[in-house]
Amino acid sequence: MERDKKCENLIEELLTKLTLEDKIGMIHGAGLFRTESVDRLGIPVLYMSDGPMGVRAEFANDEWRNIGTTDDFVSYLPCNSAIASTWNKEIAKESGRVLGEEARGRGKDVILAPGINIKRSPLCGRNFEYMSEDPKLIEELVVPMVQGIQENDVAACVKHFAANSQETERLWVDTKVDERTLREIYLPGFLAAVEKGGIFSLMGAYNLLNGEHCCANQWLLDEVLRKEWKYDGTVISDWGAVHDTKKAAECSLDVEMDVTYTFDQHFMATPLLKKVRSGEIPESLVDEKVRNILRMMYRLHMIGEGKETRKRGAYNTKEHQETVLSAARESVILLKNEEHILPLAESGIKKVAVIGQNAAKIHSNGGGSAEIKALYEISPLMGVKKLLGGNTKVCFAPGYVVPGETEQSAVNWQADSTKHLEEEKEAGAQRKESLTEEEKNRLEEEKRQTYRAQALQLAQECDQVIFVGGLTHEDDVEGKDRSGMKLPYGQDELIQALLEVRPDTVIVLYAGSPVEMPWEKSARAIIWSYYAGMEGGTAIAEVLYGRVNPSAKLAETFIRNLEQCPAHTIGTFGKKDVVEYKEGIMVGYRYYDSENTDVLFPFGHGLSYTNFEYRNMKVQAAETADGKKRYEVSLTVCNTGVRDGKEVVQIYVAPKAPSVKRPVHELKAFAKIECPAGEEKQVRFLLEEEDFSYFSEADKAFVADHGAYEIQAAASSRDIRLMAEVMV
Ligand code: BGC
């Protein structure tokens, strides 16, 4: 990133005036989400906040206690998995704008987002916070998202650097990854955020990478990030990711944050102060950290001449809610639609059954650090009711039991005020507490059977049946990985039973990571939505009833079961001490397509209510002024159906005779186009030489083999519509 001379001069001037104590105050947490100011020199506190789906609630300075004010409700954005499913760079930018503007509106300087770790296994608890299994898709979306955030004088903080794709023992697990795999798969998103996105801050991950903690990893932070990528922004540790004063001082980490409240005892607080005073650690190392922080502050207009013009942000605006709705609409994926049972008819419908707990569940308040206090959240049930109006009876049945969840009380203050009800309630609670495990299980089983019977009965009485199940933040959560890919709470059995009594049941799954779908063959229509923000339920209803033509595509492969996943069968996952990424570059479709695995739904898959045909593909080679070869790929996409729609055209490059092991093909470009019914659109892509290359460990560089490559224009990684061959 370009350096500003005035900024560098100001930094040097401030450094002459800052005492060692001042500087130490700036490089470690002085509160759970802030550093210390130096008021006499006009250096403000740096305020940070999570996270990827909206600005997190206000916490006490020195206690993990949500202070419970009423002024920290915010817009709840679709999670990154949902944004990635839109394959829409403009949406990534607009979502970033909302996040940045709200963060600034709430007085924050750094928003701890976006999360861009690679989805290596469906089991990672934080997959919902991440975008994809594919580095190219991440690269293309992270750049506009970062730019959108930073337009608001707020720093994005891309996380977690690097190879942080599991939650199990996340503070201590050593992640073993070879360099080629890091360069091709795990680092490109971060590189794009730095080089193209101009990101101001970056979060060092908890885990160890090849034997050294990421926040003390000289190869990662000094060699790659600072020297090679020339990053001069701020590196912030994940909360509690620093373990050693000397190592933290010596490597390119600038701010130590922690989950504990003993701020003075952080490794980069008093312990560092003492070591600098004793001469064990040179003060120049501290200065370098302060430089990086001040540079970020200058870029955010927190210090220097631009101070007066710093943007002030805004939150909970109507525009934000509209942006969030547009993003949600494009994130809902139509996985299957046999016999065109979708979209459902809106008129002439008397009774609709909506079955399943996720139809009525609020998700925004869960997930770990990504939790937020949403101003509102439209559930799928409300979405359907809102859309159909009062002349259609929409009946809800929970369908399955979520153990431990308290039933909604049937009493209100009026009923409560009658003494006998109070007493009965109390006696009921006492009876429940004294139950043995066995009795509890029996009661739960009874409840399960009742719920199921109710649901099946309802399904037979209604004109339309919509099941909304999936996962919740009980499973998609920070700090733990899932134990398997099965849907919890007996949902598979319920879905199967529903499909038996009503084969036209529409299955909607609302979740953060893929699940097994053993009933898939019996289902005619399947809709998938990630946690899609405060308007998620509106978007689902609009897709169900055809007010929105779905246009999202999978940003990750949906496999049938875990036994198909190379992270588990070739490498290791979820281990406590060491995880080995032995599958190397063969992550996601790179592996499944190379091995021809019989997956459930491939990467890039997603249906529309219209049809698109791909025609007239051409590839032309051209030379740029600097002598580099470029390939221009063009094709025509025709909307041959009767509805307007959007299509994601994907370009994969397949080496014909690679000199090293390579995936059968890799995504190198994509575009989302809007095409009215009966019309056609020209699409153009430019492929550069690097789009043909792989990382050669011997050359320590990306190199491209000479020879033939196939360029594929595809509607998913398994639906290649056109191809052309080029010689490189
Ligand atoms: C998470 C980060 C988060 C931080 C602050 C950590 O536990 O890994 O993603 O930003 O906490 O809440």
Side-chain angles (χ1 to χ4, degrees):
M1 206 176 172
E2 284 275 303
R3 285 220 184 154
D4 182 320
K5 217 155 178 224
K6 275 191 195 151
C7 166
E8 299 307 312
N9 291 343
L10 176 66
I11 292 172
E12 295 314 315
E13 188 194 319
L14 285 170
L15 273 172
T16 61
K17 297 177 186 160
L18 284 162
T19 65
L20 178 60
E21 285 77 2
D22 293 334
K23 292 186 266 191
I24 294 285
M26 289 174 66
I27 65 171
H28 74 270
L32 289 174
F33 287 101
R34 71 174 186 96
T35 59
E36 200 52 270
S37 62
V38 187
D39 298 337
R40 97 178 172 279
L41 297 175
I43 299 173
V45 163
L46 187 72
Y47 287 108
M48 304 169 228
S49 175
D50 286 299
M53 303 195 289
V55 189
R56 200 175 181 186
E58 253 1 281
F59 278 82
N61 188 59
D62 52 2
E63 211 182 319
W64 283 102
R65 179 174 53 83
N66 176 333
I67 58 174
T69 56
T70 54
D71 53 4
D72 55 355
F73 290 91
V74 288
S75 298
Y76 165 35
L77 287 130
C79 67
N80 270 344
S81 304
I83 303 278
S85 311
T86 70
W87 292 62
N88 186 328
K89 298 170 206 175
E90 197 46 40
I91 285 183
K93 182 151 203 170
E94 290 297 330
S95 304
R97 278 192 182 125
V98 171
L99 192 55
E101 191 166 47
E102 298 228 343
R104 192 74 280 277
R106 286 264 310 274
K108 309 299 176 194
D109 306 306
V110 180
I111 183 82
L112 305 169
I116 60 161
N117 291 108
I118 289 282
K119 296 191 186 193
R120 176 176 176 250
S121 155
L123 300 191
C124 174
R126 293 183 86 172
N127 273 345
F128 70 99
E129 288 189 60
Y130 305 146
M131 290 179 170
S132 177
E133 66 188 24
D134 180 73
K136 182 71 188 174
L137 183 54
I138 297 173
E139 271 177 65
E140 294 290 324
L141 297 178
V142 73
V143 171
M145 191 178 271
V146 164
Q147 289 168 343
I149 292 172
Q150 297 193 161
E151 271 176 20
N152 296 286
D153 289 344
V154 167
C157 183
V158 72
K159 65 192 189 184
H160 308 86
F161 192 57
N164 180 193
S165 295
Q166 80 168 45
E167 289 298 290
T168 308
E169 200 65 23
R170 59 184 178 154
L171 260 57
W172 293 100
V173 69
D174 187 3
T175 308
K176 302 273 190 208
V177 202
D178 64 73
E179 186 170 358
R180 176 175 176 200
T181 303
L182 285 168
R183 300 282 188 172
E184 289 188 27
I185 308 289
Y186 293 91
L187 298 184
F190 292 97
L191 172 59
V194 168
E195 273 191 351
K196 297 190 191 139
I199 197 149
F200 298 151
S201 79
L202 175 147
M203 188 186 292
Y206 280 133
N207 55 290
L208 290 85
L209 177 63
N210 295 326
E212 187 59 84
H213 268 109
C214 287
C215 286
N217 196 308
Q218 297 208 336
W219 179 80
L220 187 66
L221 298 185
D222 301 342
E223 292 302 317
V224 176
L225 181 65
R226 297 285 190 201
K227 284 201 194 114
E228 265 183 52
W229 299 358
K230 304 193 173 38
Y231 176 68
D232 64 4
T234 306
V235 178
I236 301 170
S237 80
D238 201 341
W239 273 230
V242 176
H243 301 276
D244 183 280
T245 298
K246 196 155 184 287
K247 283 184 180 175
E250 283 172 354
C251 92
S252 297
L253 172 84
D254 304 313
V255 182
E256 178 194 3
M257 298 304 290
D258 202 296
V259 288
T260 61
Y261 318 137
T262 43
F263 306 111
D264 281 349
Q265 258 120 82
H266 288 5
F267 293 96
M268 298 216 315
T270 312
L272 178 56
L273 186 82
K274 284 189 182 151
K275 283 191 195 298
V276 175
R277 281 218 187 107
S278 71
E280 197 184 323
I281 290 174
E283 191 166 343
S284 58
L285 294 181
V286 178
D287 289 351
E288 202 43 40
K289 298 177 194 307
V290 171
R291 277 193 187 94
N292 294 328
I293 298 166
L294 287 173
R295 190 173 298 115
M296 174 174 76
M297 286 184 163
Y298 185 91
R299 287 171 176 162
L300 295 176
H301 301 126
M302 295 172 71
I303 55 170
E305 281 173 1
K307 241 166 54 176
E308 303 312 319
T309 62
R310 187 172 191 200
K311 302 223 172 94
R312 61 183 168 157
Y315 63 114
N316 296 323
T317 68
K318 276 271 163 301
E319 292 75 34
H320 291 178
Q321 290 155 15
E322 274 158 26
T323 304
V324 165
L325 175 56
S326 318
R329 283 180 175 139
E330 283 204 28
S331 77
V332 177
I333 310 169
L334 179 60
L335 290 176
K336 189 170 176 183
N337 191 18
E338 270 177 16
E339 299 161 34
H340 297 285
I341 70 164
L342 288 174
L344 297 171
E346 263 185 48
S347 52
I349 302 298
K350 296 224 161 46
K351 208 169 161 191
V352 176
V354 177
I355 295 166
Q357 300 260 20
N358 258 359
K361 172 97 185 155
I362 293 299
H363 298 277
S364 46
N365 53 7
S369 59
E371 67 179 10
I372 54 161
K373 274 166 76 174
L375 183 63
Y376 64 85
E377 179 178 345
I378 310 284
S379 66
L381 180 61
M382 198 201 282
V384 170
K385 287 194 171 186
K386 218 159 53 101
L387 187 144
L388 291 176
N391 294 344
T392 307
K393 201 161 186 286
V394 179
C395 306
F396 172 68
Y400 54 86
V401 178
V402 178
E405 208 156 70
T406 47
E407 269 181 77
Q408 272 200 351
S409 162
V411 284
N412 58 28
W413 68 268
Q414 290 162 314
D416 244 359
S417 62
T418 51
K419 187 94 179 77
H420 70 282
L421 268 181
E422 268 298 308
E423 281 160 7
E424 271 174 29
K425 221 171 98 187
E426 214 163 277
Q430 272 172 12
R431 272 200 305 276
K432 229 175 179 177
E433 256 168 40
S434 60
L435 290 180
T436 62
E437 243 353 87
E438 211 173 297
E439 284 166 330
K440 275 190 201 154
N441 288 344
R442 189 179 47 78
L443 280 180
E444 209 163 277
E445 179 55 26
E446 273 174 25
K447 191 167 157 193
R448 204 170 58 82
Q449 291 192 8
T450 311
Y451 274 24
R452 185 173 298 183
Q454 275 170 358
L456 294 176
Q457 179 64 35
L458 182 67
Q460 291 169 80
E461 292 165 0
C462 291
D463 303 318
Q464 296 168 343
V465 185
I466 303 164
F467 170 84
V468 188
L471 302 174
T472 65
H473 286 305
E474 274 297 306
D475 292 290
D476 291 311
V477 68
E478 178 173 344
K480 71 171 198 214
D481 296 311
R482 284 193 297 162
S483 55
M485 275 182 71
K486 285 202 191 321
L487 276 171
Y489 320 131
Q491 291 183 70
D492 285 331
E493 294 76 15
L494 172 65
I495 295 173
Q496 194 59 60
L498 275 171
L499 288 168
E500 269 156 34
V501 298
R502 283 297 297 256
D504 59 344
T505 303
V506 177
I507 310 296
V508 180
L509 293 182
Y510 204 78
S513 23
V515 294
E516 287 179 22
M517 300 186 201
W519 34 262
E520 177 266 330
K521 286 229 156 34
S522 332
R524 293 184 199 160
I526 308 174
I527 284 180
W528 180 273
S529 174
Y530 291 99
Y531 304 108
M534 64 208 292
E535 291 284 0
T538 310
I540 285 181
E542 288 177 342
V543 168
L544 280 167
Y545 287 93
R547 297 222 188 149
V548 163
N549 189 358
S551 64
K553 300 223 179 191
L554 287 176
E556 62 185 307
T557 312
F558 277 13
I559 47 178
R560 289 186 187 277
N561 52 51
L562 208 57
E563 286 72 59
Q564 296 186 319
C565 177
H568 296 261
T569 53
I570 302 173
T572 56
F573 175 89
K575 301 277 178 235
K576 287 192 176 346
D577 41 8
V578 177
V579 286
E580 296 190 76
Y581 286 29
K582 279 200 205 137
E583 73 284 6
I585 54 167
M586 292 298 186
V587 177
Y589 71 86
R590 284 172 168 71
Y591 175 79
Y592 304 122
D593 292 356
S594 302
E595 295 295 316
N596 219 358
T597 309
D598 173 31
V599 301
L600 189 55
F601 296 108
F603 176 82
H605 168 77
L607 303 172
S608 161
Y609 293 146
T610 190
N611 290 313
F612 294 100
E613 268 181 38
Y614 294 25
R615 295 179 190 151
N616 304 330
M617 179 175 175
K618 288 196 195 79
V619 182
Q620 274 181 324
E623 214 155 292
T624 58
D626 55 357
K628 280 195 173 168
K629 267 252 170 90
R630 273 186 164 182
Y631 302 84
E632 189 186 299
V633 183
S634 61
L635 63 133
T636 310
V637 175
C638 311
N639 182 344
T640 54
V642 290
R643 298 179 66 118
D644 300 348
K646 292 182 182 174
E647 170 69 335
V648 178
V649 183
Q650 302 155 46
I651 301 292
Y652 294 84
V653 170
K656 300 273 276 192
S659 64
V660 294
K661 188 173 176 196
R662 296 188 68 176
V664 274
H665 62 180
E666 290 176 285
L667 180 77
K668 291 298 169 187
F670 63 89
K672 190 164 196 177
I673 53 141
E674 197 166 356
C675 196
E679 290 188 18
E680 56 180 48
K681 278 265 159 82
Q682 286 288 324
V683 209
R684 278 179 65 238
F685 304 91
L686 272 187
L687 295 178
E688 315 273 348
E689 260 172 25
E690 66 199 34
D691 293 319
F692 298 85
S693 65
Y694 63 92
F695 186 82
S696 153
E697 296 229 15
D699 298 322
K700 293 268 172 238
F702 277 89
V703 295
D705 288 333
H706 293 280
Y709 291 79
E710 195 171 271
I711 314 289
Q712 307 166 338
S716 85
S717 81
R718 292 283 175 94
D719 185 5
I720 296 161
R721 302 286 181 84
L722 299 169
M723 359 192 214
E725 207 176 291
V726 292
M727 291 299 291
V728 169

